[in-house]
Amino acid sequence: MADKAQVIKDLDRVIRLIETDTKDISPEEKKQMTAETLDYFDNYVSPGWLKYRKSVSSDSEGGAVLEWQDEGAYCYGLNGEQFIDCLGGFGIYTCGHRNEEIMDVVKAQLNHQALHSQELLDPLRGYLAKAVADITPGRLQQCFFTNGGAEAVEMALKLARIATGGRWYISTIGAFHGKSMGAISMGGKGAYRVPYTPMVQQVQHVEYGNAEDVRKAIRNLHTVGEKVAAAILEPIQGEAGVIIPPAGYLQEVREICDEYGVALIFDEIQTGMGRTGTMWRCEAEGVTPDIMTFGKAFGGGILPITGIICTPEMWTQDLIDNPWLLGSPTFGGNPLCCAAAIATIKYMLENDIPGVCKAKGEVLKAGLDSLAEKYPEIIQEVRGTGLMLAVEFHTSDLGYEVSKGLFSRGVLTAGTLVNAKTIRFEPTAVISDQDMKDVVSRMDAALAEVKAAM
Protein backbone atom coordinates (compact mmCIF):
# COMPACT_ATOMS: atom_id res chain seq x y z
CA MET A 1 0.00 0.00 0.00
CA ALA A 2 1.36 3.39 -1.02
CA ASP A 3 1.66 6.49 1.13
CA LYS A 4 -1.66 8.37 1.16
CA ALA A 5 -0.08 11.76 0.57
CA GLN A 6 1.84 10.43 -2.43
CA VAL A 7 -1.29 8.87 -3.93
CA ILE A 8 -3.12 12.20 -3.63
CA LYS A 9 -0.16 13.98 -5.25
CA ASP A 10 -0.04 11.46 -8.12
CA LEU A 11 -3.77 11.70 -8.78
CA ASP A 12 -3.70 15.48 -8.59
CA ARG A 13 -1.19 15.42 -11.45
CA VAL A 14 -3.39 13.07 -13.50
CA ILE A 15 -6.42 15.31 -12.97
CA ARG A 16 -4.35 18.30 -14.04
CA LEU A 17 -3.47 16.47 -17.28
CA ILE A 18 -7.15 15.73 -17.89
CA GLU A 19 -7.99 19.40 -17.39
CA THR A 20 -5.15 20.67 -19.60
CA ASP A 21 -5.58 21.37 -23.32
CA THR A 22 -3.47 18.85 -25.23
CA LYS A 23 -1.39 21.55 -26.95
CA ASP A 24 -0.41 22.88 -23.52
CA ILE A 25 1.04 19.58 -22.30
CA SER A 26 4.80 19.85 -22.64
CA PRO A 27 6.88 17.42 -24.74
CA GLU A 28 8.61 16.24 -21.57
CA GLU A 29 5.28 15.56 -19.88
CA LYS A 30 4.08 13.61 -22.94
CA LYS A 31 7.20 11.46 -22.89
CA GLN A 32 6.65 10.79 -19.19
CA MET A 33 2.99 9.88 -19.83
CA THR A 34 4.02 7.41 -22.52
CA ALA A 35 6.63 5.74 -20.34
CA GLU A 36 4.25 5.56 -17.39
CA THR A 37 1.43 4.12 -19.51
CA LEU A 38 3.66 1.32 -20.81
CA ASP A 39 4.89 0.61 -17.29
CA TYR A 40 1.48 0.70 -15.63
CA PHE A 41 -0.21 -1.47 -18.25
CA ASP A 42 2.50 -4.08 -17.82
CA ASN A 43 2.43 -4.01 -14.02
CA TYR A 44 -1.11 -3.03 -13.07
CA VAL A 45 -3.40 -3.96 -15.98
CA SER A 46 -2.11 -7.08 -17.76
CA PRO A 47 1.44 -8.12 -18.67
CA GLY A 48 0.20 -9.51 -22.00
CA TRP A 49 -1.91 -6.55 -23.07
CA LEU A 50 0.73 -4.47 -24.81
CA LYS A 51 1.91 -7.08 -27.31
CA TYR A 52 -1.52 -7.06 -28.98
CA ARG A 53 -1.49 -3.31 -29.59
CA LYS A 54 -0.08 -2.07 -32.91
CA SER A 55 0.30 1.34 -31.28
CA VAL A 56 3.08 0.02 -29.03
CA SER A 57 5.34 -0.96 -31.92
CA SER A 58 4.77 2.29 -33.80
CA ASP A 59 7.37 4.86 -34.79
CA SER A 60 5.72 7.51 -32.62
CA GLU A 61 7.71 9.45 -30.09
CA GLY A 62 8.29 7.29 -27.05
CA GLY A 63 7.49 4.07 -28.93
CA ALA A 64 3.73 4.14 -28.48
CA VAL A 65 0.61 6.05 -29.45
CA LEU A 66 -1.50 7.11 -26.49
CA GLU A 67 -5.15 7.57 -27.43
CA TRP A 68 -5.99 11.01 -26.06
CA GLN A 69 -8.58 12.79 -28.21
CA ASP A 70 -11.33 11.99 -30.69
CA GLU A 71 -13.79 13.87 -32.84
CA GLY A 72 -16.08 13.03 -35.74
CA ALA A 73 -14.51 10.25 -37.81
CA TYR A 74 -11.09 10.46 -36.17
CA CYS A 75 -9.02 9.28 -33.22
CA TYR A 76 -5.96 11.29 -32.18
CA GLY A 77 -2.81 10.32 -30.35
CA LEU A 78 -1.25 12.39 -27.59
CA ASN A 79 1.36 13.76 -30.02
CA GLY A 80 -1.19 14.72 -32.65
CA GLU A 81 -1.25 11.45 -34.62
CA GLN A 82 -4.49 11.32 -36.62
CA PHE A 83 -6.32 8.10 -37.53
CA ILE A 84 -9.36 7.60 -39.72
CA ASP A 85 -11.30 5.29 -37.43
CA CYS A 86 -12.42 2.22 -39.39
CA LEU A 87 -12.61 0.07 -36.26
CA GLY A 88 -15.15 2.23 -34.48
CA GLY A 89 -14.67 0.58 -31.11
CA PHE A 90 -16.14 -2.59 -32.69
CA GLY A 91 -19.25 -0.68 -33.70
CA ILE A 92 -19.64 1.92 -30.94
CA TYR A 93 -19.15 5.09 -32.95
CA THR A 94 -21.90 4.96 -35.55
CA CYS A 95 -22.86 8.57 -34.70
CA GLY A 96 -19.23 9.66 -34.69
CA HIS A 97 -16.78 10.43 -31.91
CA ARG A 98 -18.06 12.90 -29.31
CA ASN A 99 -21.17 13.76 -31.29
CA GLU A 100 -21.99 17.29 -30.15
CA GLU A 101 -25.77 16.89 -30.17
CA ILE A 102 -25.57 13.81 -27.95
CA MET A 103 -22.91 15.31 -25.68
CA ASP A 104 -25.00 18.43 -25.10
CA VAL A 105 -27.90 16.31 -23.83
CA VAL A 106 -25.57 14.32 -21.57
CA LYS A 107 -24.06 17.51 -20.16
CA ALA A 108 -27.51 18.91 -19.49
CA GLN A 109 -28.50 15.74 -17.64
CA LEU A 110 -25.25 15.73 -15.68
CA ASN A 111 -25.98 19.27 -14.53
CA HIS A 112 -28.95 18.06 -12.48
CA GLN A 113 -28.48 14.29 -11.93
CA ALA A 114 -26.06 11.52 -12.89
CA LEU A 115 -27.07 8.27 -11.19
CA HIS A 116 -30.34 7.32 -9.48
CA SER A 117 -31.33 6.44 -5.93
CA GLN A 118 -32.64 2.95 -6.82
CA GLU A 119 -35.85 3.75 -4.92
CA LEU A 120 -37.51 6.78 -6.48
CA LEU A 121 -38.87 6.55 -10.02
CA ASP A 122 -36.34 7.61 -12.66
CA PRO A 123 -38.38 9.00 -15.58
CA LEU A 124 -35.72 8.74 -18.30
CA ARG A 125 -35.79 4.95 -18.07
CA GLY A 126 -39.47 5.00 -18.96
CA TYR A 127 -39.01 7.51 -21.78
CA LEU A 128 -36.15 5.46 -23.22
CA ALA A 129 -38.06 2.16 -22.99
CA LYS A 130 -40.97 3.72 -24.89
CA ALA A 131 -38.58 5.05 -27.56
CA VAL A 132 -36.93 1.64 -28.00
CA ALA A 133 -40.33 0.00 -28.38
CA ASP A 134 -41.20 2.67 -30.96
CA ILE A 135 -38.16 1.92 -33.15
CA THR A 136 -38.11 -1.88 -32.93
CA PRO A 137 -40.13 -4.18 -35.19
CA GLY A 138 -43.24 -6.19 -34.46
CA ARG A 139 -44.58 -6.40 -30.92
CA LEU A 140 -41.32 -5.94 -29.05
CA GLN A 141 -42.22 -3.87 -26.01
CA GLN A 142 -40.74 -4.66 -22.55
CA CYS A 143 -37.23 -3.30 -21.95
CA PHE A 144 -34.51 -4.10 -19.45
CA PHE A 145 -31.36 -1.95 -19.49
CA THR A 146 -27.86 -3.18 -18.68
CA ASN A 147 -24.27 -1.93 -18.91
CA GLY A 148 -22.42 -4.18 -21.37
CA GLY A 149 -23.21 -6.55 -24.20
CA ALA A 150 -22.48 -9.76 -22.32
CA GLU A 151 -24.73 -8.65 -19.49
CA ALA A 152 -27.58 -8.03 -21.95
CA VAL A 153 -27.09 -11.54 -23.36
CA GLU A 154 -27.17 -13.00 -19.84
CA MET A 155 -30.54 -11.31 -19.25
CA ALA A 156 -31.87 -12.64 -22.55
CA LEU A 157 -30.83 -16.20 -21.71
CA LYS A 158 -32.37 -16.02 -18.25
CA LEU A 159 -35.55 -14.48 -19.59
CA ALA A 160 -35.95 -17.30 -22.12
CA ARG A 161 -35.77 -19.89 -19.36
CA ILE A 162 -38.27 -18.04 -17.18
CA ALA A 163 -40.70 -17.50 -20.04
CA THR A 164 -40.61 -20.94 -21.69
CA GLY A 165 -39.69 -23.32 -18.89
CA GLY A 166 -37.04 -24.78 -21.19
CA ARG A 167 -33.46 -25.35 -20.14
CA TRP A 168 -31.52 -25.93 -23.37
CA TYR A 169 -30.16 -23.41 -25.85
CA ILE A 170 -29.30 -23.68 -29.53
CA SER A 171 -26.40 -21.52 -30.65
CA THR A 172 -24.11 -21.53 -33.68
CA ILE A 173 -20.53 -22.30 -34.64
CA GLY A 174 -18.55 -19.06 -34.87
CA ALA A 175 -21.00 -17.16 -32.70
CA PHE A 176 -19.86 -14.41 -30.36
CA HIS A 177 -22.18 -13.18 -27.61
CA GLY A 178 -19.75 -11.92 -24.96
CA LYS A 179 -17.40 -13.40 -22.37
CA SER A 180 -19.38 -13.77 -19.16
CA MET A 181 -20.13 -17.40 -18.27
CA GLY A 182 -23.56 -17.66 -19.83
CA ALA A 183 -22.67 -15.60 -22.88
CA ILE A 184 -19.43 -17.44 -23.54
CA SER A 185 -21.27 -20.75 -23.19
CA MET A 186 -23.23 -19.68 -26.26
CA GLY A 187 -20.03 -18.69 -28.07
CA GLY A 188 -18.92 -20.77 -31.01
CA LYS A 189 -15.16 -20.31 -30.81
CA GLY A 190 -13.07 -22.82 -28.85
CA ALA A 191 -10.28 -20.37 -28.02
CA TYR A 192 -12.67 -18.40 -25.80
CA ARG A 193 -14.47 -21.42 -24.31
CA VAL A 194 -11.80 -23.97 -23.44
CA PRO A 195 -10.24 -22.15 -20.45
CA TYR A 196 -13.61 -22.07 -18.69
CA THR A 197 -15.14 -25.47 -19.35
CA PRO A 198 -17.39 -26.87 -18.07
CA MET A 199 -19.76 -23.95 -18.57
CA VAL A 200 -23.52 -23.96 -19.09
CA GLN A 201 -23.90 -27.53 -20.29
CA GLN A 202 -27.33 -27.36 -21.89
CA VAL A 203 -26.09 -25.82 -25.15
CA GLN A 204 -25.96 -27.34 -28.62
CA HIS A 205 -24.00 -25.58 -31.35
CA VAL A 206 -25.10 -25.96 -34.94
CA GLU A 207 -23.84 -24.70 -38.29
CA TYR A 208 -24.61 -21.02 -38.84
CA GLY A 209 -26.83 -20.38 -41.84
CA ASN A 210 -28.26 -23.92 -41.84
CA ALA A 211 -31.83 -23.77 -40.53
CA GLU A 212 -32.29 -27.53 -40.84
CA ASP A 213 -29.53 -27.99 -38.26
CA VAL A 214 -31.58 -25.87 -35.84
CA ARG A 215 -34.65 -27.98 -36.52
CA LYS A 216 -32.80 -31.26 -35.95
CA ALA A 217 -31.21 -30.08 -32.71
CA ILE A 218 -34.52 -28.91 -31.24
CA ARG A 219 -36.41 -31.96 -32.46
CA ASN A 220 -33.86 -34.39 -31.08
CA LEU A 221 -33.78 -32.71 -27.67
CA HIS A 222 -37.57 -32.63 -27.44
CA THR A 223 -37.73 -36.28 -28.49
CA VAL A 224 -35.61 -37.35 -25.53
CA GLY A 225 -37.57 -35.14 -23.11
CA GLU A 226 -35.30 -32.07 -22.99
CA LYS A 227 -37.15 -28.78 -23.51
CA VAL A 228 -35.34 -26.00 -25.41
CA ALA A 229 -35.63 -22.48 -24.00
CA ALA A 230 -34.18 -20.49 -26.89
CA ALA A 231 -32.24 -20.33 -30.11
CA ILE A 232 -29.80 -17.41 -30.11
CA LEU A 233 -28.42 -15.94 -33.33
CA GLU A 234 -26.55 -12.94 -34.63
CA PRO A 235 -28.43 -11.77 -37.76
CA ILE A 236 -24.94 -11.26 -39.16
CA GLN A 237 -22.06 -12.92 -37.35
CA GLY A 238 -19.65 -10.16 -36.38
CA GLU A 239 -16.59 -11.59 -34.63
CA ALA A 240 -16.68 -14.65 -36.90
CA GLY A 241 -15.76 -12.34 -39.76
CA VAL A 242 -18.96 -10.53 -40.83
CA ILE A 243 -20.77 -13.65 -42.04
CA ILE A 244 -24.12 -12.96 -43.71
CA PRO A 245 -26.46 -15.99 -43.66
CA PRO A 246 -28.42 -17.12 -46.73
CA ALA A 247 -31.60 -15.19 -47.55
CA GLY A 248 -34.56 -16.71 -45.74
CA TYR A 249 -32.47 -18.27 -42.96
CA LEU A 250 -33.77 -16.03 -40.18
CA GLN A 251 -37.36 -16.49 -41.33
CA GLU A 252 -36.99 -20.27 -41.39
CA VAL A 253 -35.51 -20.32 -37.89
CA ARG A 254 -38.41 -18.13 -36.76
CA GLU A 255 -40.87 -20.70 -38.12
CA ILE A 256 -39.01 -23.57 -36.44
CA CYS A 257 -39.03 -21.80 -33.08
CA ASP A 258 -42.77 -21.12 -33.42
CA GLU A 259 -43.39 -24.77 -34.26
CA TYR A 260 -41.62 -26.04 -31.14
CA GLY A 261 -42.48 -23.24 -28.69
CA VAL A 262 -38.89 -22.03 -28.46
CA ALA A 263 -37.95 -18.39 -27.87
CA LEU A 264 -35.93 -16.77 -30.64
CA ILE A 265 -33.20 -14.38 -29.49
CA PHE A 266 -31.49 -12.04 -31.94
CA ASP A 267 -28.22 -10.56 -30.75
CA GLU A 268 -28.27 -7.15 -32.46
CA ILE A 269 -25.61 -5.60 -30.23
CA GLN A 270 -23.28 -5.01 -33.19
CA THR A 271 -25.67 -5.21 -36.15
CA GLY A 272 -28.32 -2.90 -34.71
CA MET A 273 -28.73 0.87 -34.40
CA GLY A 274 -28.35 1.52 -38.11
CA ARG A 275 -24.95 -0.07 -38.68
CA THR A 276 -26.07 -2.50 -41.41
CA GLY A 277 -28.34 -0.17 -43.38
CA THR A 278 -31.58 -0.64 -41.44
CA MET A 279 -32.17 0.32 -37.81
CA TRP A 280 -32.07 -3.41 -36.99
CA ARG A 281 -30.67 -6.11 -39.25
CA CYS A 282 -33.70 -8.35 -38.68
CA GLU A 283 -35.82 -5.69 -40.42
CA ALA A 284 -33.98 -6.42 -43.67
CA GLU A 285 -35.22 -10.02 -43.41
CA GLY A 286 -38.71 -9.10 -42.20
CA VAL A 287 -38.33 -11.20 -39.04
CA THR A 288 -39.07 -10.25 -35.42
CA PRO A 289 -37.51 -12.20 -32.52
CA ASP A 290 -39.10 -12.83 -29.13
CA ILE A 291 -36.12 -11.21 -27.41
CA MET A 292 -33.56 -8.84 -28.89
CA THR A 293 -30.33 -7.55 -27.37
CA PHE A 294 -28.90 -4.15 -28.26
CA GLY A 295 -25.84 -2.12 -27.32
CA LYS A 296 -22.59 -0.73 -28.73
CA ALA A 297 -23.83 2.33 -30.71
CA PHE A 298 -26.92 2.61 -28.48
CA GLY A 299 -25.11 5.05 -26.16
CA GLY A 300 -24.05 7.27 -29.03
CA GLY A 301 -20.36 6.60 -28.51
CA ILE A 302 -20.60 8.71 -25.35
CA LEU A 303 -21.73 6.38 -22.56
CA PRO A 304 -22.07 2.60 -22.11
CA ILE A 305 -25.65 1.32 -22.14
CA THR A 306 -27.08 -1.93 -23.46
CA GLY A 307 -30.21 -3.94 -22.89
CA ILE A 308 -32.92 -6.27 -24.11
CA ILE A 309 -36.43 -5.82 -25.44
CA CYS A 310 -39.01 -8.59 -25.63
CA THR A 311 -42.62 -9.27 -26.53
CA PRO A 312 -45.23 -8.94 -23.75
CA GLU A 313 -45.62 -12.75 -23.62
CA MET A 314 -42.01 -13.13 -22.53
CA TRP A 315 -42.58 -10.90 -19.48
CA THR A 316 -44.36 -13.53 -17.42
CA GLN A 317 -46.27 -13.25 -14.16
CA ASP A 318 -43.16 -14.34 -12.23
CA LEU A 319 -41.40 -11.19 -13.42
CA ILE A 320 -44.41 -9.02 -12.69
CA ASP A 321 -44.59 -10.43 -9.15
CA ASN A 322 -40.84 -10.00 -8.62
CA PRO A 323 -39.36 -7.23 -10.83
CA TRP A 324 -35.86 -8.03 -9.49
CA LEU A 325 -35.96 -11.70 -10.46
CA LEU A 326 -34.32 -11.21 -13.85
CA GLY A 327 -31.59 -8.95 -12.49
CA SER A 328 -30.92 -5.70 -10.66
CA PRO A 329 -27.78 -4.06 -12.08
CA THR A 330 -26.83 -1.08 -9.94
CA PHE A 331 -26.00 1.12 -12.92
CA GLY A 332 -28.34 -0.38 -15.51
CA GLY A 333 -30.60 2.25 -17.04
CA ASN A 334 -29.10 5.10 -15.04
CA PRO A 335 -30.27 8.63 -15.95
CA LEU A 336 -27.01 9.76 -17.54
CA CYS A 337 -26.77 6.76 -19.89
CA CYS A 338 -30.49 6.94 -20.67
CA ALA A 339 -30.04 10.58 -21.66
CA ALA A 340 -27.28 9.54 -24.06
CA ALA A 341 -29.42 6.80 -25.61
CA ILE A 342 -32.45 9.08 -25.97
CA ALA A 343 -30.32 11.69 -27.75
CA THR A 344 -28.79 8.97 -29.93
CA ILE A 345 -32.15 7.67 -31.10
CA LYS A 346 -33.32 11.19 -31.95
CA TYR A 347 -30.08 11.93 -33.85
CA MET A 348 -30.32 8.68 -35.80
CA LEU A 349 -33.93 9.26 -36.81
CA GLU A 350 -33.46 12.91 -37.77
CA ASN A 351 -30.34 12.18 -39.82
CA ASP A 352 -31.46 8.81 -41.27
CA ILE A 353 -28.30 7.14 -39.99
CA PRO A 354 -29.40 3.69 -41.26
CA GLY A 355 -29.78 5.15 -44.77
CA VAL A 356 -26.44 6.93 -44.47
CA CYS A 357 -24.74 3.68 -43.42
CA LYS A 358 -26.30 1.89 -46.38
CA ALA A 359 -25.21 4.48 -48.94
CA LYS A 360 -21.71 5.03 -47.56
CA GLY A 361 -21.26 1.29 -47.10
CA GLU A 362 -21.92 0.74 -50.79
CA VAL A 363 -19.24 3.29 -51.68
CA LEU A 364 -16.64 1.89 -49.29
CA LYS A 365 -17.37 -1.72 -50.26
CA ALA A 366 -16.95 -0.84 -53.95
CA GLY A 367 -13.51 0.55 -53.13
CA LEU A 368 -12.54 -2.54 -51.17
CA ASP A 369 -13.85 -4.76 -53.98
CA SER A 370 -11.60 -2.94 -56.44
CA LEU A 371 -8.61 -3.74 -54.23
CA ALA A 372 -9.62 -7.40 -54.09
CA GLU A 373 -9.57 -7.47 -57.90
CA LYS A 374 -6.18 -5.76 -57.97
CA TYR A 375 -4.57 -8.00 -55.32
CA PRO A 376 -6.16 -11.47 -55.66
CA GLU A 377 -3.02 -13.13 -54.30
CA ILE A 378 -3.53 -11.29 -50.99
CA ILE A 379 -7.30 -10.73 -50.62
CA GLN A 380 -9.61 -13.72 -50.59
CA GLU A 381 -12.98 -11.98 -50.21
CA VAL A 382 -14.75 -8.72 -49.34
CA ARG A 383 -18.16 -9.00 -47.67
CA GLY A 384 -20.66 -7.20 -45.50
CA THR A 385 -23.46 -4.68 -45.72
CA GLY A 386 -23.86 -1.08 -44.66
CA LEU A 387 -20.87 0.01 -42.63
CA MET A 388 -20.24 -3.47 -41.28
CA LEU A 389 -17.65 -4.72 -43.75
CA ALA A 390 -14.80 -7.21 -43.71
CA VAL A 391 -11.84 -8.11 -45.87
CA GLU A 392 -10.63 -11.70 -45.62
CA PHE A 393 -7.05 -12.51 -46.58
CA HIS A 394 -5.52 -15.79 -47.67
CA THR A 395 -3.57 -16.02 -44.41
CA SER A 396 -3.64 -14.36 -41.01
CA ASP A 397 -0.06 -13.15 -41.52
CA LEU A 398 -1.06 -11.28 -44.68
CA GLY A 399 -3.98 -9.69 -42.84
CA TYR A 400 -1.75 -8.62 -40.00
CA GLU A 401 0.79 -7.02 -42.33
CA VAL A 402 -1.92 -5.11 -44.21
CA SER A 403 -3.53 -4.00 -40.93
CA LYS A 404 -0.12 -2.85 -39.68
CA GLY A 405 0.45 -1.00 -42.95
CA LEU A 406 -2.89 0.74 -42.59
CA PHE A 407 -2.03 1.77 -39.03
CA SER A 408 1.26 3.31 -40.14
CA ARG A 409 -0.73 5.28 -42.73
CA GLY A 410 -3.27 6.58 -40.24
CA VAL A 411 -6.15 4.12 -40.66
CA LEU A 412 -7.39 2.21 -37.60
CA THR A 413 -8.64 -1.36 -38.16
CA ALA A 414 -8.46 -4.69 -36.34
CA GLY A 415 -8.91 -8.39 -36.92
CA THR A 416 -11.69 -10.69 -35.71
CA LEU A 417 -11.70 -13.71 -33.41
CA VAL A 418 -8.15 -13.22 -32.10
CA ASN A 419 -6.49 -13.22 -35.51
CA ALA A 420 -6.09 -10.98 -38.55
CA LYS A 421 -7.16 -13.32 -41.35
CA THR A 422 -10.22 -11.10 -41.54
CA ILE A 423 -10.03 -7.41 -40.70
CA ARG A 424 -13.15 -5.34 -40.20
CA PHE A 425 -14.16 -1.94 -41.46
CA GLU A 426 -16.75 -0.31 -39.22
CA PRO A 427 -16.23 3.43 -39.63
CA THR A 428 -18.49 6.12 -38.30
CA ALA A 429 -21.53 7.19 -40.29
CA VAL A 430 -20.05 10.71 -40.37
CA ILE A 431 -17.03 9.57 -42.39
CA SER A 432 -16.62 11.78 -45.45
CA ASP A 433 -16.37 10.70 -49.07
CA GLN A 434 -12.78 11.96 -49.09
CA ASP A 435 -11.93 9.93 -45.99
CA MET A 436 -13.31 6.80 -47.67
CA LYS A 437 -11.20 7.52 -50.75
CA ASP A 438 -8.19 7.99 -48.47
CA VAL A 439 -8.87 4.67 -46.72
CA VAL A 440 -8.92 2.86 -50.06
CA SER A 441 -5.82 4.61 -51.40
CA ARG A 442 -3.88 4.00 -48.18
CA MET A 443 -4.90 0.37 -48.19
CA ASP A 444 -3.76 0.17 -51.81
CA ALA A 445 -0.34 1.41 -50.69
CA ALA A 446 -0.26 -1.08 -47.81
CA LEU A 447 -1.22 -3.95 -50.11
CA ALA A 448 1.47 -2.94 -52.64
CA GLU A 449 4.03 -2.93 -49.83
CA VAL A 450 2.96 -6.41 -48.69
CA LYS A 451 2.96 -7.73 -52.25
CA ALA A 452 6.50 -6.44 -52.82
CA ALA A 453 7.67 -8.33 -49.72
CA MET A 454 6.07 -11.65 -50.74
Side-chain angles (χ1 to χ4, degrees), residues 98-173:
R98 292 194 306 122
N99 181 292
E100 287 189 10
E101 292 185 33
I102 300 170
M103 279 209 305
D104 284 346
V105 174
V106 171
K107 289 175 182 177
Q109 176 62 34
L110 188 58
N111 282 337
H112 65 86
Q113 186 189 27
L115 302 180
H116 53 301
S117 70
Q118 310 290 333
E119 177 60 28
L120 301 176
L121 287 176
D122 43 313
L124 292 191
R125 192 184 316 209
Y127 287 126
L128 178 57
K130 169 64 162 55
V132 175
D134 287 344
I135 65 168
T136 48
R139 297 175 56 253
L140 293 172
Q141 181 173 329
Q142 260 71 38
C143 288
F144 187 97
F145 298 116
T146 48
N147 305 281
E151 186 182 14
V153 169
E154 295 285 349
M155 297 304 115
L157 298 174
K158 291 163 66 179
L159 178 60
R161 281 190 168 182
I162 292 171
T164 68
R167 289 295 176 262
W168 283 77
Y169 301 98
I170 309 301
S171 188
T172 56
I173 302 299

Side-chain angles (χ1 to χ4, degrees), residues 122 150 220 230 232 282 284 286 319 324 331 401 418 442:
D122 43 313
N220 290 344
I232 182 169
C282 63
L319 291 170
W324 296 274
F331 303 111
E401 290 303 319
V418 300
R442 294 176 194 182

Side-chain angles (χ1 to χ4, degrees), residues 355-365 387 429-432 436:
V356 171
C357 287
K358 183 178 187 298
K360 290 187 177 180
E362 289 170 355
V363 172
L364 182 55
K365 187 173 184 297
L387 288 177
V430 302
I431 189 172
S432 69
M436 288 191 288

Side-chain angles (χ1 to χ4, degrees), residues 16 38 56 68 87 289 321 360:
R16 178 179 57 79
L38 294 171
V56 175
W68 192 247
L87 173 59
D321 292 340
K360 290 187 177 180

Side-chain angles (χ1 to χ4, degrees), residues 92 94-95 99 101-103 105-106 128 135 273 279 295-303 305 337-351 353:
I92 294 171
T94 305
C95 294
N99 181 292
E101 292 185 33
I102 300 170
M103 279 209 305
V105 174
V106 171
L128 178 57
I135 65 168
M273 294 301 289
M279 187 63 83
K296 295 217 182 274
F298 188 64
I302 305 296
L303 288 170
I305 179 170
C337 288
C338 284
I342 288 167
T344 299
I345 292 171
K346 178 176 179 286
Y347 179 86
M348 285 192 166
L349 294 176
E350 287 184 338
N351 295 278
I353 293 303

